[in-house]
Amino acid sequence: MSTRPSLVVVGAGPRGTGFLERLAANLPELYGDRPLDVHLVDPHPPGPGRIWRTEQSPLLWMNSQAEDVTMFTDETVRLEGPVRPGPTLAEWAGIDGRAFPTRPLQGSYLRWVYERARAALPASVTVHEHRASALRVAGPREGRQRVWLEGAAAPLPADLVVLTVGHLDAEPDREQRALADFAARHGLVHLPPDFTADLARRHDPAHSADAAVFAGLLSVYAQLLRLGDRLDPGGWWHGFFGYLASGPPGPRLRQLLALSRAGIVRFLGPRVTVGTDEERGLFRASSEAVPGERTETRALVDARLPDPAPEFTGSPLLRALYEEGARASASGLLVVDPADGRVLGHDGRPHPRRFALGPHTTARTGGAFARPRTGGVAFGQNDVTARAALALLRDLECRLPAPLSA
Ligand SMILES: Cc1cc2nc3c(=O)[nH]c(=O)nc-3n(C[C@H](O)[C@H](O)[C@H](O)COP(=O)(O)OP(=O)(O)OC[C@H]3O[C@@H](n4cnc5c(N)ncnc54)[C@H](O)[C@@H]3O)c2cc1C
C-alpha cells in the first residue's frame, strides 16, 4: 500500500468539484510542494457527477437562471483562502443570463470547472479518478482510513476522507413497498420518489413582489446558514425556503397551465392520498379538499424527493457510517461540526479524519453553486474544510520519518 499522503474525495459532483477548487487555491500556502495523491471516487464523471450528467435529455432544465449560477468565489464570500474569480454559467456558455439552462449544459460547465481546478494543482499532486461507488470507510480514529470501492480487491488508503455524496437515493418505505407490490401484481406502472427536476413566478418581471420576496428570503437564508444548524435544528427554515423560493421555471409553469387548459392535466388538490382498488387493479387518488373528485389510474409517478432518514438510506456507505457511530440529526442528516465539516460521532466528538460537505449533512446550504456576489456559503465551507484538510496532511507529513539519505 502506497505511503504517499493520500486524500480520498467520495462524490465528484458540484460539491466535490468546489472542494477541489478550494484545495488547489489553498495548497501553495498550506502544503507547498509536498507530494499528495488525490483520489476522486464517483461512478459518474467528475464535475457534473450524477445530477448534471451531460448525456441527459436537454428537456431537463435547471431551476436557476444562467446568470445566477457560478462555481467561483468573489469578495463577498467569507474566505481565509484566496479569491479565484471565474465566469458564471451564462458568461461561460455565452447565453442569455435570464435563460433556464439545460441540465447537460450545466454539466458541461461543471466539467470545465473541474478541469480548471485540476489544472491549478501543482505537479506534486497526482489526481486519480475512480469510476466506482465507495461502499465503506474503515480505519481507526487516529490512523489511516481505508475506503472500500465496489469491485475493487483492496481498499484505497486515505489519510483523510471527504464525503461529498450529495443527494442520495432512499429505500422504499412501507407505503412505497405496498404500492410497488400492488403495481407488480396488477401489471401497473409505479415510479417511486426520485430526484426529478424542480422555480417560480420570481423570474417574471410582472411579479416583482415575488422577486423581492425571493431576494429577501435568499438573504435571510444565507445569514441563517452562516449562523449554523443550531438555529434551525429541525430544518424548518430550509423547508420554508425551498417551499416559497424554489419551484419550476416560469416557462415550465406556463406549459403546465396550457396543458391544464387543454384538459390534458388535471389537478387533484392539496394533500393527495393514494389508495388501491384490488378488485379492479387500479390506483385511486383523491384530495379531501376536493370532495367527490377521485381519479383512477394504471400509472403512479411519485415525484417527491426521497426522505433522507438513515433507516431508509439507499447508500451502503452512509449506512455503514451510521452503524459505526456517526450521528444522524432528527431530520435524518449526517451531523457535522459546523466549524469545519468534520463528521461527529454519537459522543459528539469530531472524527479527526472524516469530513462531509453537502445536502446530506446538517451543514447543508442552498446549493453547491451560487448566485454571484451573494456570499456563496458553500464556497466558504469548502474553503474551511480544504484548509483543515491541508493543515492535517501537512502535519502528518512533518511527522513521517525522514527518508534515509543515499
Ligand atoms: C434533480 C435536482 C435538480 C437540482 N436543480 C438545481 C438548480 O437548478 N439550481 C440549484 O441551485 N440547485 C439545484 N439542485 C440542488 C443541488 O443541491 C445542487 O445542484 C448540486 O447538485 C448538489 O451538489 P452535490 O455535489 O452536493 O451533490 P450531487 O450533485 O448529488 O453529487 C454527489 C455525487 O456523489 C456521488 N456519490 C454518491 N454516493 C457515492 C458513493 N457511495 N460513492 C461514490 N460516489 C458517490 C454521486 O454519483 C454524485 O455524482 C438540484 C438538485 C436536484 C436533486
mmCIF file of all heavy atoms in Angstrom, residues 362-395:
data_model
loop_
_atom_site.group_PDB
_atom_site.id
_atom_site.type_symbol
_atom_site.label_atom_id
_atom_site.label_comp_id
_atom_site.label_asym_id
_atom_site.label_seq_id
_atom_site.Cartn_x
_atom_site.Cartn_y
_atom_site.Cartn_z
ATOM 1 N N THR A 362 -25.827 18.211 8.116
ATOM 2 C CA THR A 362 -26.528 19.279 8.846
ATOM 3 C C THR A 362 -25.981 20.657 8.462
ATOM 4 O O THR A 362 -26.586 21.663 8.811
ATOM 5 C CB THR A 362 -26.378 19.091 10.363
ATOM 6 O OG1 THR A 362 -24.996 18.860 10.662
ATOM 7 C CG2 THR A 362 -27.212 17.934 10.865
ATOM 8 N N ALA A 363 -24.856 20.703 7.751
ATOM 9 C CA ALA A 363 -24.314 21.997 7.303
ATOM 10 C C ALA A 363 -24.737 22.263 5.866
ATOM 11 O O ALA A 363 -24.066 22.986 5.144
ATOM 12 C CB ALA A 363 -22.800 22.004 7.426
ATOM 13 N N ARG A 364 -25.895 21.688 5.455
ATOM 14 C CA ARG A 364 -26.319 21.880 4.070
ATOM 15 C C ARG A 364 -26.586 23.356 3.789
ATOM 16 O O ARG A 364 -26.985 24.119 4.675
ATOM 17 C CB ARG A 364 -27.564 21.055 3.777
ATOM 18 C CG ARG A 364 -28.740 21.492 4.581
ATOM 19 C CD ARG A 364 -29.859 20.524 4.417
ATOM 20 N NE ARG A 364 -30.898 20.826 5.384
ATOM 21 C CZ ARG A 364 -32.089 20.271 5.362
ATOM 22 N NH1 ARG A 364 -32.382 19.383 4.450
ATOM 23 N NH2 ARG A 364 -32.992 20.578 6.256
ATOM 24 N N THR A 365 -26.395 23.729 2.531
ATOM 25 C CA THR A 365 -26.607 25.117 2.117
ATOM 26 C C THR A 365 -27.669 25.112 1.025
ATOM 27 O O THR A 365 -28.184 24.056 0.678
ATOM 28 C CB THR A 365 -25.315 25.697 1.521
ATOM 29 O OG1 THR A 365 -24.962 24.863 0.409
ATOM 30 C CG2 THR A 365 -24.183 25.687 2.523
ATOM 31 N N GLY A 366 -27.965 26.278 0.470
ATOM 32 C CA GLY A 366 -28.965 26.343 -0.600
ATOM 33 C C GLY A 366 -28.538 25.541 -1.819
ATOM 34 O O GLY A 366 -29.365 25.128 -2.617
ATOM 35 N N GLY A 367 -27.271 25.265 -1.997
ATOM 36 C CA GLY A 367 -26.808 24.531 -3.183
ATOM 37 C C GLY A 367 -25.294 24.548 -3.265
ATOM 38 O O GLY A 367 -24.627 25.228 -2.486
ATOM 39 N N ALA A 368 -24.777 23.781 -4.237
ATOM 40 C CA ALA A 368 -23.322 23.687 -4.379
ATOM 41 C C ALA A 368 -22.776 24.834 -5.205
ATOM 42 O O ALA A 368 -21.581 25.087 -5.223
ATOM 43 C CB ALA A 368 -22.951 22.363 -5.035
ATOM 44 N N PHE A 369 -23.684 25.512 -5.951
ATOM 45 C CA PHE A 369 -23.265 26.710 -6.675
ATOM 46 C C PHE A 369 -24.139 27.858 -6.197
ATOM 47 O O PHE A 369 -25.096 27.618 -5.459
ATOM 48 C CB PHE A 369 -23.356 26.531 -8.189
ATOM 49 C CG PHE A 369 -24.358 25.527 -8.637
ATOM 50 C CD1 PHE A 369 -25.690 25.875 -8.769
ATOM 51 C CD2 PHE A 369 -23.976 24.233 -8.912
ATOM 52 C CE1 PHE A 369 -26.622 24.950 -9.184
ATOM 53 C CE2 PHE A 369 -24.911 23.288 -9.314
ATOM 54 C CZ PHE A 369 -26.236 23.648 -9.452
ATOM 55 N N ALA A 370 -23.773 29.087 -6.606
ATOM 56 C CA ALA A 370 -24.479 30.224 -6.025
ATOM 57 C C ALA A 370 -24.677 31.323 -7.046
ATOM 58 O O ALA A 370 -24.052 31.328 -8.111
ATOM 59 C CB ALA A 370 -23.673 30.778 -4.854
ATOM 60 N N ARG A 371 -25.569 32.249 -6.683
ATOM 61 C CA ARG A 371 -25.706 33.487 -7.433
ATOM 62 C C ARG A 371 -24.435 34.302 -7.156
ATOM 63 O O ARG A 371 -24.024 34.357 -5.988
ATOM 64 C CB ARG A 371 -26.904 34.230 -6.846
ATOM 65 C CG ARG A 371 -27.558 35.201 -7.740
ATOM 66 C CD ARG A 371 -28.726 35.810 -6.979
ATOM 67 N NE ARG A 371 -29.946 35.647 -7.748
ATOM 68 C CZ ARG A 371 -31.047 36.352 -7.521
ATOM 69 N NH1 ARG A 371 -31.120 37.203 -6.533
ATOM 70 N NH2 ARG A 371 -32.107 36.181 -8.268
ATOM 71 N N PRO A 372 -23.810 34.919 -8.189
ATOM 72 C CA PRO A 372 -22.598 35.695 -7.913
ATOM 73 C C PRO A 372 -22.884 36.810 -6.907
ATOM 74 O O PRO A 372 -23.994 37.322 -6.841
ATOM 75 C CB PRO A 372 -22.220 36.309 -9.272
ATOM 76 C CG PRO A 372 -23.029 35.597 -10.288
ATOM 77 C CD PRO A 372 -24.207 34.995 -9.609
ATOM 78 N N ARG A 373 -21.890 37.133 -6.121
ATOM 79 C CA ARG A 373 -21.922 38.264 -5.190
ATOM 80 C C ARG A 373 -23.014 38.144 -4.111
ATOM 81 O O ARG A 373 -23.578 39.132 -3.657
ATOM 82 C CB ARG A 373 -22.055 39.606 -5.940
ATOM 83 C CG ARG A 373 -21.051 39.783 -7.074
ATOM 84 C CD ARG A 373 -20.876 41.224 -7.504
ATOM 85 N NE ARG A 373 -20.524 42.073 -6.370
ATOM 86 C CZ ARG A 373 -19.308 42.140 -5.829
ATOM 87 N NH1 ARG A 373 -18.332 41.389 -6.311
ATOM 88 N NH2 ARG A 373 -19.076 42.925 -4.807
ATOM 89 N N THR A 374 -23.332 36.903 -3.744
ATOM 90 C CA THR A 374 -24.295 36.726 -2.647
ATOM 91 C C THR A 374 -23.636 35.985 -1.488
ATOM 92 O O THR A 374 -24.305 35.359 -0.669
ATOM 93 C CB THR A 374 -25.552 35.951 -3.102
ATOM 94 O OG1 THR A 374 -25.141 34.689 -3.665
ATOM 95 C CG2 THR A 374 -26.379 36.723 -4.097
ATOM 96 N N GLY A 375 -22.348 35.972 -1.447
ATOM 97 C CA GLY A 375 -21.648 35.405 -0.300
ATOM 98 C C GLY A 375 -21.488 33.896 -0.324
ATOM 99 O O GLY A 375 -20.993 33.324 0.634
ATOM 100 N N GLY A 376 -21.916 33.233 -1.405
ATOM 101 C CA GLY A 376 -21.782 31.771 -1.615
ATOM 102 C C GLY A 376 -21.326 30.977 -0.383
ATOM 103 O O GLY A 376 -20.143 30.655 -0.266
ATOM 104 N N VAL A 377 -22.304 30.645 0.499
ATOM 105 C CA VAL A 377 -21.963 29.992 1.773
ATOM 106 C C VAL A 377 -21.212 28.674 1.546
ATOM 107 O O VAL A 377 -20.252 28.358 2.246
ATOM 108 C CB VAL A 377 -23.236 29.742 2.605
ATOM 109 C CG1 VAL A 377 -22.926 29.042 3.913
ATOM 110 C CG2 VAL A 377 -23.957 31.053 2.874
ATOM 111 N N ALA A 378 -21.628 27.916 0.525
ATOM 112 C CA ALA A 378 -20.971 26.621 0.274
ATOM 113 C C ALA A 378 -19.494 26.823 -0.060
ATOM 114 O O ALA A 378 -18.651 26.015 0.349
ATOM 115 C CB ALA A 378 -21.679 25.891 -0.865
ATOM 116 N N PHE A 379 -19.175 27.909 -0.767
ATOM 117 C CA PHE A 379 -17.770 28.145 -1.134
ATOM 118 C C PHE A 379 -16.934 28.392 0.127
ATOM 119 O O PHE A 379 -15.795 27.944 0.228
ATOM 120 C CB PHE A 379 -17.628 29.356 -2.067
ATOM 121 C CG PHE A 379 -18.438 29.271 -3.335
ATOM 122 C CD1 PHE A 379 -18.839 30.421 -3.995
ATOM 123 C CD2 PHE A 379 -18.799 28.039 -3.878
ATOM 124 C CE1 PHE A 379 -19.585 30.358 -5.166
ATOM 125 C CE2 PHE A 379 -19.550 27.956 -5.048
ATOM 126 C CZ PHE A 379 -19.950 29.127 -5.690
ATOM 127 N N GLY A 380 -17.539 29.126 1.077
ATOM 128 C CA GLY A 380 -16.837 29.397 2.339
ATOM 129 C C GLY A 380 -16.589 28.103 3.100
ATOM 130 O O GLY A 380 -15.508 27.882 3.655
ATOM 131 N N GLN A 381 -17.613 27.218 3.120
ATOM 132 C CA GLN A 381 -17.450 25.920 3.808
ATOM 133 C C GLN A 381 -16.367 25.090 3.120
ATOM 134 O O GLN A 381 -15.538 24.461 3.777
ATOM 135 C CB GLN A 381 -18.764 25.148 3.796
ATOM 136 C CG GLN A 381 -19.858 25.761 4.635
ATOM 137 C CD GLN A 381 -21.168 24.984 4.498
ATOM 138 O OE1 GLN A 381 -21.347 24.206 3.558
ATOM 139 N NE2 GLN A 381 -22.079 25.219 5.422
ATOM 140 N N ASN A 382 -16.399 25.060 1.791
ATOM 141 C CA ASN A 382 -15.384 24.294 1.063
ATOM 142 C C ASN A 382 -13.990 24.794 1.430
ATOM 143 O O ASN A 382 -13.049 24.002 1.592
ATOM 144 C CB ASN A 382 -15.554 24.449 -0.452
ATOM 145 C CG ASN A 382 -16.847 23.844 -0.966
ATOM 146 O OD1 ASN A 382 -17.485 23.056 -0.277
ATOM 147 N ND2 ASN A 382 -17.236 24.219 -2.168
ATOM 148 N N ASP A 383 -13.870 26.118 1.571
ATOM 149 C CA ASP A 383 -12.576 26.739 1.874
ATOM 150 C C ASP A 383 -12.081 26.292 3.248
ATOM 151 O O ASP A 383 -10.924 25.869 3.401
ATOM 152 C CB ASP A 383 -12.738 28.265 1.827
ATOM 153 C CG ASP A 383 -11.406 29.002 1.863
ATOM 154 O OD1 ASP A 383 -10.649 28.891 0.886
ATOM 155 O OD2 ASP A 383 -11.120 29.666 2.888
ATOM 156 N N VAL A 384 -12.987 26.338 4.236
ATOM 157 C CA VAL A 384 -12.601 25.960 5.600
ATOM 158 C C VAL A 384 -12.164 24.496 5.632
ATOM 159 O O VAL A 384 -11.132 24.138 6.209
ATOM 160 C CB VAL A 384 -13.777 26.189 6.586
ATOM 161 C CG1 VAL A 384 -13.459 25.628 7.946
ATOM 162 C CG2 VAL A 384 -14.116 27.658 6.693
ATOM 163 N N THR A 385 -12.972 23.638 4.986
ATOM 164 C CA THR A 385 -12.649 22.208 5.003
ATOM 165 C C THR A 385 -11.350 21.932 4.251
ATOM 166 O O THR A 385 -10.511 21.143 4.720
ATOM 167 C CB THR A 385 -13.823 21.384 4.417
ATOM 168 O OG1 THR A 385 -14.979 21.646 5.213
ATOM 169 C CG2 THR A 385 -13.540 19.892 4.425
ATOM 170 N N ALA A 386 -11.160 22.578 3.115
ATOM 171 C CA ALA A 386 -9.924 22.358 2.346
ATOM 172 C C ALA A 386 -8.717 22.785 3.175
ATOM 173 O O ALA A 386 -7.679 22.090 3.192
ATOM 174 C CB ALA A 386 -9.978 23.139 1.031
ATOM 175 N N ARG A 387 -8.863 23.876 3.913
ATOM 176 C CA ARG A 387 -7.734 24.358 4.725
ATOM 177 C C ARG A 387 -7.470 23.409 5.905
ATOM 178 O O ARG A 387 -6.314 23.108 6.221
ATOM 179 C CB ARG A 387 -8.001 25.798 5.217
ATOM 180 C CG ARG A 387 -7.965 26.815 4.078
ATOM 181 C CD ARG A 387 -8.240 28.229 4.559
ATOM 182 N NE ARG A 387 -7.138 28.773 5.350
ATOM 183 C CZ ARG A 387 -6.076 29.384 4.850
ATOM 184 N NH1 ARG A 387 -5.957 29.537 3.534
ATOM 185 N NH2 ARG A 387 -5.121 29.845 5.632
ATOM 186 N N ALA A 388 -8.553 22.921 6.515
ATOM 187 C CA ALA A 388 -8.370 21.972 7.623
ATOM 188 C C ALA A 388 -7.701 20.700 7.103
ATOM 189 O O ALA A 388 -6.808 20.132 7.745
ATOM 190 C CB ALA A 388 -9.724 21.640 8.259
ATOM 191 N N ALA A 389 -8.125 20.245 5.922
ATOM 192 C CA ALA A 389 -7.561 19.024 5.333
ATOM 193 C C ALA A 389 -6.076 19.221 5.035
ATOM 194 O O ALA A 389 -5.249 18.357 5.367
ATOM 195 C CB ALA A 389 -8.324 18.664 4.054
ATOM 196 N N LEU A 390 -5.739 20.348 4.445
ATOM 197 C CA LEU A 390 -4.335 20.593 4.076
ATOM 198 C C LEU A 390 -3.460 20.726 5.318
ATOM 199 O O LEU A 390 -2.313 20.226 5.342
ATOM 200 C CB LEU A 390 -4.232 21.858 3.213
ATOM 201 C CG LEU A 390 -4.768 21.693 1.779
ATOM 202 C CD1 LEU A 390 -4.955 23.052 1.109
ATOM 203 C CD2 LEU A 390 -3.833 20.811 0.930
ATOM 204 N N ALA A 391 -4.004 21.347 6.369
ATOM 205 C CA ALA A 391 -3.221 21.503 7.607
ATOM 206 C C ALA A 391 -2.949 20.132 8.219
ATOM 207 O O ALA A 391 -1.825 19.834 8.654
ATOM 208 C CB ALA A 391 -3.976 22.397 8.583
ATOM 209 N N LEU A 392 -3.979 19.270 8.210
ATOM 210 C CA LEU A 392 -3.809 17.919 8.772
ATOM 211 C C LEU A 392 -2.791 17.129 7.952
ATOM 212 O O LEU A 392 -1.875 16.503 8.507
ATOM 213 C CB LEU A 392 -5.159 17.192 8.783
ATOM 214 C CG LEU A 392 -5.119 15.757 9.287
ATOM 215 C CD1 LEU A 392 -5.105 15.726 10.813
ATOM 216 C CD2 LEU A 392 -6.332 14.970 8.811
ATOM 217 N N LEU A 393 -2.921 17.173 6.630
ATOM 218 C CA LEU A 393 -1.993 16.422 5.765
ATOM 219 C C LEU A 393 -0.563 16.925 5.961
ATOM 220 O O LEU A 393 0.384 16.130 6.018
ATOM 221 C CB LEU A 393 -2.407 16.576 4.295
ATOM 222 C CG LEU A 393 -3.691 15.828 3.891
ATOM 223 C CD1 LEU A 393 -4.219 16.342 2.555
ATOM 224 C CD2 LEU A 393 -3.430 14.316 3.814
ATOM 225 N N ARG A 394 -0.399 18.215 6.094
ATOM 226 C CA ARG A 394 0.936 18.794 6.295
ATOM 227 C C ARG A 394 1.521 18.311 7.622
ATOM 228 O O ARG A 394 2.678 17.878 7.685
ATOM 229 C CB ARG A 394 0.849 20.322 6.281
ATOM 230 C CG ARG A 394 2.190 21.025 6.475
ATOM 231 C CD ARG A 394 1.966 22.481 6.825
ATOM 232 N NE ARG A 394 1.102 22.610 8.003
ATOM 233 C CZ ARG A 394 0.297 23.635 8.226
ATOM 234 N NH1 ARG A 394 0.208 24.616 7.352
ATOM 235 N NH2 ARG A 394 -0.445 23.674 9.321
ATOM 236 N N ASP A 395 0.688 18.330 8.670
ATOM 237 C CA ASP A 395 1.182 17.906 9.982
ATOM 238 C C ASP A 395 1.561 16.436 9.962
ATOM 239 O O ASP A 395 2.556 16.042 10.552
ATOM 240 C CB ASP A 395 0.130 18.167 11.067
ATOM 241 C CG ASP A 395 -0.132 19.651 11.233
ATOM 242 O OD1 ASP A 395 0.679 20.447 10.678
ATOM 243 O OD2 ASP A 395 -1.126 20.028 11.874
#
